[in-house]
Each structure stands twice: as structure tokens, then as C-alpha cells.
Amino acid sequence: MASERPGMMRIRDLKEGFEVRGFYAVRSKELPRNYRNKAGKWFMLRIGDSTGDINLKYWGTEDEARTMRVYNSFETGSVVYVQGMVAFDKYDEALGVVINEGQGDLRLVEEGAADLDLVPSLEADSIQKLTEELFELIASVEDMPLKMLLQSFFSEKTFLEAFKHSPSAIKYHHAYMGGNLEHTINVARVVDLMSARYPRIDRDLAVTGALLHDIGKLQEYRVTTTVEMTSEGRFIGHSQLGWETIRQRLERVPNFPEEKRLKLWDMVIHHHGTYESSGETAAPNLHTIEAAVLHYADDLDAKVGGFSQLLDRAEGTKDDWVYVKESNSSIFTR
């Protein structure tokens, strides 16, 4: 069926049966695979723009060399021109773009790509409001060494601008520019609330750890036409990268208490939990109550944020229930 909406199309506007023509960033690409019962290869990409992502399957002919030339003509992060059809993929149980070699088009875009709107981002006013919340939280910290540590980061314009526009993930949660700021504020607010309920928690230390726990993501990810993980991020991870940056900044704070430094290390390094097995159970290896509250607040916001993104993906569907392959479950969309 021909598209009822010809021309350049946004990912969020794609519907089954539409012909799609547009410029998109390559989010990821999988290695080509051989057909099971005939000669030839096919491959799959994940493409996207600022409104979302979608799978693309490129079905080659018996001319494997031609298929490989197409595959090798671009890489993750490249911008490609796509002409194909939108169809429901029964295997993925989701809409996808299909290109049959010789009938559609998939090619590298070498000029004008920088002007395209391809990376999801929070609106500027949302980032501004979250930044105001950030400075309110910093101002609320009364412990002077901790306040000085926070100010050493967030009063630095270059760092602040990078932090405000950094993503928190590639796809799971808060996977958009400004997502790291949003996630950080959410976690700090939960930590602050729990600190009021549990007096044993050192509130200033907990809030400081929450505000700094994901600063390593500035080194873990880079944003071009898409969000990509750096080699540092793959080898080391944002927890260790973040702590190394904090350790360097601590040298600027005179007489920073050694016990607080160790507790802050515990929070940042273990905010994802270092799990140790004991019999049939596994528990996060947390040493302080501040590390515990940060770990569970971080996990809570990541999971709720991830679920929210699933609902965003389901917007526009006519179904009350949508199956989500990643979690092997169905979610209610209303």
C-alpha cells in the first residue's frame, strides 16, 4: 500500500503500510546474516531521529558482495537516507522498516547531516527548571566541605553545560539529552525524602552523593548524531570514571574529612550495587546507609523512567495492552 503521507517522515509518525523516505541516524548495526535456505545475506540496523527509534531490515539478493558494500558504506553514528516500507514484524512484534535490495534505498548522507534534528532531547525550559532545582539542592547542603565539593563541579560553566545536556543511557532510561540531569534530580529528591524519614542518614552526604553519582556518564557517552558509548565507558564504566573525577576535585577542598571521603567512595562506586551471592540469594554489597539509600533511589528512578519510555513508545496505538519483548510482559497503555 502506498503511503498516505509521502515525504520526509519522523519516526513517531510512521504507521504500518507507509512508504518512508527520510534522513536518520544509525543507532546500531548488527553483523550480516546468511539466509537459511538460499544464497544471499541480510542485516538489521536501528535507526532514529529526535522522535524515536525503529528497526530496519535490509534484505539482500544473491549478490552478497553488493549487500556487503551497502553494509560497509556507513557505521554507527552515520546519517543515512532511507526509502522503504513500514511493516509489522511478527518476530520482533513491533513496527519496522523493510528494504528489499533493488526496490528501496539505503545510503550514506555525507553533506548537511549536522543540520538534522536526530538526537532526542528535553525541551530547553525543562532543562532550565531542572537546573534551578539542582542549585536549590546544592544551596540546601549545610556541610561546608561537601558544599565546596559540589560547587567545584557545578559552578564551572563548561562542566555545567556538559552535564545539563548529557544523556543517562543509550536506550534504557532517560536516554536523551538532559536525561542525566533529570535522573540526577529525581534521585536526589528521593534521597532527600528518605533522609527526612530515617534520621540515621547523613542527609547532606546522601544528597551530595546523589548529585555526583552519575557524573562519570559525561565520559561514558558521547553525543553526535546519536548517543554512543566511548571506549572509556566500555572498559571502565561511569562509576569508576566518576569517582576518579571526584577524587581529583577533593584535592581542592581543604581538610575534607577522611571518613566522609570513604563513604562518598562507597556511594559512587556501589550505586548500582556490587552483588555478592550467598547460597540461593544475592544482595548488593553496600557498606553504609547512605550508599543503600542512593542505590535503591537510583534503581527506582531508572526502572520507573524506563517504564515511562515504554509508554511513550506505545503512544498512538489503539490497543489497551501492548507486549514488550524486552521484559517479556504486556503493559497497559491507558
Side-chain angles (χ1 to χ4, degrees):
M1 184 177 76
S3 169
E4 298 174 3
R5 301 180 63 179
M8 304 306 173
M9 301 185 68
R10 310 295 277 167
I11 294 293
R12 68 182 175 197
D13 296 327
L14 299 183
K15 300 285 189 274
E16 186 175 6
F18 280 7
E19 180 183 16
V20 54
R21 299 170 184 260
F23 300 100
Y24 307 101
V26 177
R27 306 291 195 215
S28 62
K29 56 186 297 193
E30 298 184 7
L31 290 172
R33 308 177 200 180
N34 295 319
Y35 291 120
R36 291 183 179 178
N37 302 314
K38 64 178 182 179
K41 293 181 179 293
W42 68 280
F43 59 83
M44 185 166 72
L45 311 174
R46 187 77 177 170
I47 61 172
D49 59 21
S50 64
T51 68
D53 297 348
I54 195 169
N55 285 340
L56 182 154
K57 291 185 177 179
Y58 184 95
W59 301 100
T61 62
E62 294 183 357
D63 187 349
E64 294 186 5
R66 179 182 177 184
T67 304
M68 291 304 298
R69 283 196 298 272
V70 174
Y71 177 83
N72 290 322
S73 66
F74 52 83
E75 57 191 18
T76 299
S78 295
V79 176
V80 290
Y81 174 73
V82 173
Q83 179 184 352
M85 296 298 297
V86 181
F88 183 80
D89 190 313
K90 292 183 179 179
Y91 178 80
D92 293 328
E93 297 192 343
L95 289 179
V97 176
V98 177
I99 297 178
N100 293 306
E101 195 167 270
Q103 299 178 21
D105 198 3
L106 177 63
R107 66 176 187 269
L108 177 69
V109 175
E110 299 184 88
E111 296 182 3
D115 298 326
L116 299 173
D117 185 19
L118 298 174
V119 183
S121 176
L122 285 180
E123 296 293 336
D125 59 344
S126 295
I127 291 177
Q128 179 58 36
K129 290 177 182 177
L130 287 165
T131 303
E132 291 171 2
E133 282 195 68
L134 170 67
F135 283 104
E136 287 174 6
L137 284 162
I138 293 172
S140 73
V141 173
E142 297 179 354
D143 183 289
M144 191 52 63
L146 292 173
K147 185 188 289 285
M148 290 175 66
L149 177 63
L150 290 170
Q151 289 174 339
S152 76
F153 283 101
F154 296 107
S155 64
E156 187 179 281
K157 185 175 180 181
T158 301
F159 176 86
L160 178 62
E161 287 303 308
F163 185 80
K164 284 163 54 176
H165 297 94
S166 63
S168 193
I170 292 178
K171 65 178 181 180
Y172 175 55
H173 73 91
H174 302 89
Y176 38 82
M177 294 175 67
N180 199 23
L181 172 64
E182 182 179 45
H183 171 62
T184 295
I185 298 302
N186 290 348
V187 172
R189 290 298 189 192
V190 173
V191 163
D192 192 19
L193 175 63
M194 296 304 289
S195 297
R197 297 290 180 180
Y198 293 91
R200 286 181 179 273
I201 297 173
D202 181 334
R203 185 264 180 193
D204 283 358
L205 179 62
V207 169
T208 298
L211 294 178
L212 296 178
H213 80 283
D214 270 350
I215 62 169
K217 289 185 176 180
L218 275 67
Q219 295 168 267
E220 186 173 43
Y221 301 116
R222 62 170 169 262
V223 180
T224 53
T225 58
T226 190
V227 178
E228 300 175 279
M229 187 172 283
T230 64
S231 292
E232 277 187 304
R234 292 181 187 277
F235 277 117
I236 303 172
H238 69 271
S239 297
Q240 187 63 50
L241 289 168
W243 173 251
E244 180 58 25
T245 304
I246 293 168
R247 186 191 64 76
Q248 294 170 9
R249 299 285 179 130
L250 282 171
E251 295 177 0
R252 306 181 189 181
V253 182
N255 302 315
F256 195 91
E258 177 64 10
E259 186 173 285
K260 277 192 170 67
R261 185 186 72 83
L262 291 172
K263 287 185 174 181
L264 193 59
W265 174 89
D266 191 38
M267 296 176 73
V268 174
I269 292 296
H270 293 150
H271 72 266
H272 282 176
T274 302
Y275 285 84
E276 293 185 346
S277 296
S278 176
E280 297 180 353
T281 63
N285 184 25
L286 306 169
H287 303 98
T288 66
I289 194 169
E290 290 81 15
V293 71
L294 174 58
H295 167 64
Y296 291 114
D298 176 63
D299 187 56
L300 171 67
D301 188 59
K303 287 178 176 175
V304 174
F307 200 98
S308 179
Q309 286 183 198
L310 293 177
L311 291 173
D312 288 342
R313 281 167 48 186
E315 279 189 4
T317 181
K318 296 179 181 179
D319 300 318
D320 288 343
W321 291 90
V322 174
Y323 175 75
V324 180
K325 187 176 182 180
E326 297 98 306
S327 60
N328 191 30
S329 62
S330 296
I331 62 172
F332 190 62
T333 63
R334 300 291 177 247

